[in-house]
Amino acid sequence: MNHSRLLPWSLAALVLAACGGGSGGSGGGAPAAFELHVDTAAGSTSFVSARVAALVWEAPGGALSANVLPAPVELPLVDPAGESAGLALRSAPPLGTVAVHLLLQGGATALRSDGTNLAVTLPGSDLRIALESPWTGAATALALGHDAVPNLVVSGAGLTWTPALSARAVEQLAVNVADGVVASIDPAAGALVVMLPGYQDLAFDLAVPASAQLTGLDGQPRTREAFLAECTVGSTLAFSALRSSSRGIEASSMHHRGRSRGELHLLGRIRTLDVGTSSFVLDVQGQRNGSVWGAPQFAAVTVDAASAVIYTSHRSVRTSASFTDLVVGMLVKVEGSRPVADRMTAREVEIEDDHGSNRPGEIEGQVDSVDLGTGTITVVQRGDDPLLIGGVRVTSATITVTANTLLQRKTDSGTVSTTLDTLTSADRIWIRGEITGASTVRAQWVRVEAR
């Protein structure tokens, strides 16, 4: 499907070595020295992935490290649902590292909102991504993010794309996961160990604070004790969390999806709705095979959702929904039986967006002011870190807080719920939400910390 290109001669040996390592990830929660995070949310309706054959670090003088990627892996670069992804690496960046090179095999592939699957031609096989500042080793993680909404240009039978990506050191990182697998449970400590397929099955410690919004298998709210009692080893969890240590993450919301049953996972948009039969026609955009979304085997499927658990996703609170909440054009994920005669029975329907609106990735900045009357926060950039809305740099942003917004404060003793009137200009702020204008966002999740 994708056309291979010759790699730069100085990197060819690294790629060949990586290809010799087989396919897949590190597997089974195997240890890794470093994890590179990818923020896939970019305001695009297309899903774009590429096969990464090797990864090398670039020193200030241009010297390249050895390959630190244990084996080739398919990496999501753009995801309409904004699920977190990452690469498990053999070593962290050496001090002073100024860029990361992703060495790709055969360009990229785009799964578009109309269900078409097209090859994407990139400028070259060596995707160089500059760090905003040289790596000092003091940060929790290194994250790749988009500096602009991806512009996929039709060219012949495929697409062309020049990625606008940058890498930055982060102390705290928003993580959105749809399919974490429980490896162990510690009810007394309110904690889990989960393996994340999007990180090649690496294991992470997941803290469940008392303030977390928890949803059970039936889509109904749970207390922390009831939620942990319901989970078992092998349970699949969808969650939003904040990562503030190399392997520690703290959940802000979580949904128990039950044990994986090997069912079919489809991503697409609703074409038509039939209220009488509680069914809808799905224009299929992608199909999940293991932990990777790929080309679908079905162009359109009629989904029977009469007995499905329906819920909203990527909100501060994962809330139960009903068939009447579905609308034509909505992006959804469906999990259920394999289609027979282009019909399937859904076990779960997950609403991925609100009436097709684009979600930004994590927004980070500094609180400038708060207007309690309008329920808004004015955010400006923090130091030299750019303030980005949908990939576009802005000088300030207006954040609207609603009754559904989860507002939290990070303290030395843990994360606690807070209110708008406690925010000050000393607070560093992280936001996830829905873009409503060039510099406005309706917040789904807000975290502040005095700095």
Side-chain angles (χ1 to χ4, degrees), residues 3 11 32 85 134 143 147 166 194 260 275 296 311 354 375 381 396:
H3 301 289
L11 303 177
D147 294 335
S166 61
V194 293
S260 175
V275 177
Y311 59 94
D354 290 328
Q381 75 175 42
S396 68

Side-chain angles (χ1 to χ4, degrees), residues 150-201:
N151 183 23
L152 300 172
V153 180
V154 176
S155 177
L159 304 169
T160 60
W161 177 39
T162 301
L165 295 167
S166 61
R168 61 190 179 100
V170 293
E171 297 177 25
Q172 292 187 325
L173 186 66
V175 178
N176 290 286
V177 173
D179 55 358
V181 180
V182 175
S184 66
I185 307 169
D186 186 345
L192 304 158
V193 174
V194 293
M195 294 190 298
L196 305 187
Y199 289 79
Q200 294 86 66
D201 285 339

Side-chain angles (χ1 to χ4, degrees), residues 268-273 280-283 326-330 332:
R269 292 193 179 272
I270 297 174
R271 182 199 300 175
T272 60
L273 288 159
F280 58 87
V281 175
L282 182 72
D283 285 324
L326 303 179
V327 297
V328 171
M330 181 176 279
V332 297

Side-chain angles (χ1 to χ4, degrees), residues 17-37:
C19 293
S23 62
S26 56
F34 192 78
E35 306 85 44
L36 179 70
H37 177 85

Side-chain angles (χ1 to χ4, degrees), residues 29-195:
F34 192 78
E35 306 85 44
L36 179 70
H37 177 85
V38 179
D39 190 345
T40 62
S44 173
T45 59
S46 294
F47 182 95
V48 182
S49 65
R51 188 164 182 79
V52 180
L55 186 146
V56 299
W57 309 114
E58 180 184 326
L64 301 177
S65 73
N67 173 32
V68 295
L69 183 66
V73 63
E74 190 74 17
L75 179 68
L77 298 173
V78 182
D79 183 351
E83 287 185 27
S84 299
L87 294 172
L89 305 175
R90 293 191 184 101
S91 64
L95 298 183
T97 292
V98 296
V100 55
H101 291 254
L102 301 180
L103 310 180
L104 309 179
Q105 289 179 287
T109 301
L111 302 173
R112 301 203 295 177
S113 58
D114 61 4
T116 57
N117 179 36
L118 298 177
V120 179
T121 300
L122 302 173
S125 298
D126 176 9
L127 185 57
R128 181 185 185 273
I129 303 167
L131 273 66
E132 290 182 350
S133 58
W135 178 254
T136 66
T140 296
L142 182 64
L144 304 185
H146 294 266
D147 294 335
V149 176
N151 183 23
L152 300 172
V153 180
V154 176
S155 177
L159 304 169
T160 60
W161 177 39
T162 301
L165 295 167
S166 61
R168 61 190 179 100
V170 293
E171 297 177 25
Q172 292 187 325
L173 186 66
V175 178
N176 290 286
V177 173
D179 55 358
V181 180
V182 175
S184 66
I185 307 169
D186 186 345
L192 304 158
V193 174
V194 293
M195 294 190 298

Side-chain angles (χ1 to χ4, degrees), residues 125-396:
S125 298
D126 176 9
L127 185 57
R128 181 185 185 273
I129 303 167
L131 273 66
E132 290 182 350
S133 58
W135 178 254
T136 66
T140 296
L142 182 64
L144 304 185
H146 294 266
D147 294 335
V149 176
N151 183 23
L152 300 172
V153 180
V154 176
S155 177
L159 304 169
T160 60
W161 177 39
T162 301
L165 295 167
S166 61
R168 61 190 179 100
V170 293
E171 297 177 25
Q172 292 187 325
L173 186 66
V175 178
N176 290 286
V177 173
D179 55 358
V181 180
V182 175
S184 66
I185 307 169
D186 186 345
L192 304 158
V193 174
V194 293
M195 294 190 298
L196 305 187
Y199 289 79
Q200 294 86 66
D201 285 339
L202 285 177
F204 288 80
D205 296 320
L206 177 61
V208 186
S211 59
Q213 303 292 330
L214 306 174
T215 306
L217 187 59
D218 58 2
Q220 300 302 313
R222 293 284 191 277
T223 64
R224 178 170 63 174
E225 292 73 18
F227 184 88
L228 293 175
E230 180 179 297
C231 293
T232 61
V233 173
S235 287
T236 301
L237 304 176
F239 59 84
S240 295
L242 190 71
R243 177 180 169 190
S244 54
S245 69
S246 61
R247 284 295 175 81
I249 51 183
E250 184 178 278
S252 57
S253 64
M254 194 180 309
H255 172 63
H256 182 206
R257 302 183 62 186
R259 294 182 65 88
S260 175
R261 305 178 185 182
E263 293 174 310
L264 184 68
H265 296 252
L266 297 178
L267 172 72
R269 292 193 179 272
I270 297 174
R271 182 199 300 175
T272 60
L273 288 159
D274 187 337
V275 177
T277 61
S278 296
S279 65
F280 58 87
V281 175
L282 182 72
D283 285 324
V284 183
Q285 182 176 352
Q287 177 176 326
R288 191 163 203 154
N289 302 302
S291 62
V292 178
W293 288 97
Q297 297 173 315
F298 316 92
V301 172
T302 299
V303 179
D304 179 358
S307 59
V309 174
I310 302 175
Y311 59 94
T312 58
S313 180
H314 298 304
R315 297 180 181 224
S316 56
V317 181
R318 295 181 185 271
T319 54
S320 178
S322 67
F323 190 86
T324 57
D325 293 307
L326 303 179
V327 297
V328 171
M330 181 176 279
L331 182 69
V332 297
K333 286 179 184 172
V334 178
E335 181 176 351
S337 62
R338 291 192 66 84
V340 176
D342 292 331
R343 298 185 66 90
M344 71 179 292
T345 300
R347 183 170 69 89
E348 282 192 358
V349 177
E350 180 180 3
I351 300 171
E352 289 293 336
D353 61 6
D354 290 328
H355 302 273
S357 60
N358 292 329
R359 292 194 320 110
E362 176 192 352
I363 300 167
E364 180 183 349
Q366 190 82 22
V367 174
D368 182 65
S369 62
V370 177
D371 188 328
L372 297 178
T374 60
T376 58
I377 309 167
T378 300
V379 176
V380 295
Q381 75 175 42
R382 180 176 181 271
D384 296 328
D385 294 335
L387 180 65
L388 302 174
I389 304 293
V392 178
R393 188 165 187 165
V394 297
T395 56
S396 68

